[in-house]
Amino acid sequence: MDVQDLEYFKMICQEKSITKAAHSLYITPQGLSKTVKNLEFELGTALLNRTASGVTLTEAGQYLADHLQEFLDVSYSLKSGIREISKRQRHEIDLLSAYGILRLVTPECLWAFRQKHPEITLNYREYPDKQVERLFAAQEGNVAFTIGPADFGSLRAAKLESFSIKLLVNREHPLSRRSSVTIGDLQGEPLFLESSEFWIHHFIVDKCRAAGFEPNIVFETSGFSLCHKMVKQNKGISVTVDFIFDDMQDESLALIPFSDGTYRWSTYMLTRKDSSPNPDIELFCSHVLDWMKAIKEHRISR
């Protein structure tokens, strides 16, 4: 059985819907249905009961779901060991980065490392936060930049920097005249927000629900930029963090802090504890931490 097909089946089990699972996996529902049918053909039995409201597991599907993770864990462990050996021998760093973090770390950080260590190949790929977590858990990459706070379990997590999450509004919006806001001020407001593949989406939605209301999310996107654009047009409100707001440099927008709790957007660099020692990764991690320290010191001194 193909491991990716089993990962897709696992997502269907979690979402209880082919359409929702396909959305989370960034593939079409038709493509995901075909994957399931191929898996069912290979196993010689139906795995899903398809209904108008979603899907349920057949007896065989439930058996597969119950034993799926142990199979995947063994597969991931084997793949990880082989990949780590190969990458260490080839002096290769495979970096997975959540969208937005390279804006913080800066591309110059990666360029400087390549110039300093031309013997090491540095590749990087960018994905939404949750996808980075899934890929890294599936033993993809050997370094990851992601968003928290979160429980990283058996991973080494080095905090890069942390920022306050703030409300983003147009200066013509009534909330722009406030010195601070609470999560309750979002109630009923048209909200532009990153999709459920991003940590900040779940953070804001959970905060709103804890305050007793559902946020009025009018559009979900895969990055901060479109949120800023729509707020600039005064179509609604959004949330962002200081360094992204500063990069945008738009005088028509205002940042308002939250006063009713801790709202933090923290960035982390992840490596694996159980990996064989890799001097190249140690060099890269030290380089990034030194670079971030210099950026922070420069920001404070301005």
Side-chain angles (χ1 to χ4, degrees), residues 189-192 216-220 235:
E189 293 284 349
L191 178 63
F192 292 88
N216 179 25
I217 302 174
V218 295
F219 193 81
E220 297 181 11
K235 302 290 186 180

Side-chain angles (χ1 to χ4, degrees), residues 237-249:
I237 63 175
S238 187
V239 291
T240 192
V241 293
D242 291 294
F243 83 91
I244 293 177
F245 178 80
D246 293 341
D247 275 356
M248 297 298 181
Q249 296 184 347

Side-chain angles (χ1 to χ4, degrees), residues 208-224:
C208 290
R209 288 174 177 169
F213 68 94
E214 285 292 322
N216 179 25
I217 302 174
V218 295
F219 193 81
E220 297 181 11
T221 179
S222 60
F224 283 111

Side-chain angles (χ1 to χ4, degrees), residues 47-271:
L47 299 172
L48 300 177
N49 296 310
R50 295 160 176 82
T51 68
S53 59
V55 295
T56 61
L57 297 175
T58 64
E59 182 180 357
Q62 187 63 58
Y63 182 86
L64 177 59
D66 291 343
H67 296 83
L68 184 56
Q69 194 57 55
E70 59 191 80
F71 177 87
L72 290 174
D73 287 344
V74 171
S75 177
Y76 295 157
S77 180
L78 288 171
K79 282 187 175 181
S80 177
I82 293 170
R83 285 173 176 168
E84 287 302 314
I85 291 171
S86 177
K87 288 173 183 176
R88 186 171 66 251
Q89 291 174 341
R90 297 198 308 266
H91 296 283
E92 179 182 343
I93 293 174
D94 184 12
L95 169 65
L96 307 180
S97 178
Y99 289 139
I101 298 185
L102 289 182
R103 184 194 291 261
L104 169 66
V105 176
T106 74
E108 288 83 358
C109 176
L110 304 189
W111 299 341
F113 181 80
R114 284 170 171 163
Q115 290 178 334
K116 189 176 180 180
H117 299 284
E119 75 283 3
I120 301 174
T121 300
L122 171 60
N123 299 315
Y124 67 90
R125 296 173 276 164
E126 292 184 273
Y127 301 98
D129 315 340
K130 297 296 182 181
Q131 194 168 355
V132 167
E133 293 175 14
R134 286 197 300 271
L135 288 170
F136 208 62
Q139 308 302 318
E140 289 282 338
N142 49 20
V143 184
F145 292 161
T146 193
I147 309 298
D151 179 9
F152 297 118
S154 62
L155 300 174
R156 292 190 183 95
K159 182 181 282 190
L160 299 178
E161 197 162 351
S162 183
F163 299 88
S164 294
I165 299 170
K166 298 179 181 179
L167 185 67
L168 179 70
V169 297
N170 190 290
R171 290 196 179 276
E172 295 180 2
H173 194 284
L175 288 174
S176 70
R177 296 188 285 274
R178 301 272 295 275
S179 59
S180 66
V181 293
T182 67
I183 199 69
D185 292 315
L186 275 62
Q187 187 169 5
E189 293 284 349
L191 178 63
F192 292 88
L193 195 62
E194 290 186 297
S195 76
S196 59
E197 282 292 279
F198 293 83
W199 176 88
I200 199 168
H201 174 102
H202 299 278
F203 179 82
I204 294 298
V205 170
D206 289 347
K207 287 286 187 182
C208 290
R209 288 174 177 169
F213 68 94
E214 285 292 322
N216 179 25
I217 302 174
V218 295
F219 193 81
E220 297 181 11
T221 179
S222 60
F224 283 111
S225 297
L226 184 57
C227 294
H228 280 69
K229 179 179 179 181
M230 300 311 292
V231 174
K232 181 178 180 179
Q233 296 174 14
N234 207 15
K235 302 290 186 180
I237 63 175
S238 187
V239 291
T240 192
V241 293
D242 291 294
F243 83 91
I244 293 177
F245 178 80
D246 293 341
D247 275 356
M248 297 298 181
Q249 296 184 347
D250 196 313
E251 295 182 357
S252 69
L253 303 179
L255 267 189
I256 316 294
F258 286 94
S259 61
D260 58 337
T262 302
Y263 293 69
R264 302 296 296 179
W265 190 87
S266 301
T267 59
Y268 294 86
M269 178 167 57
L270 306 181
T271 54

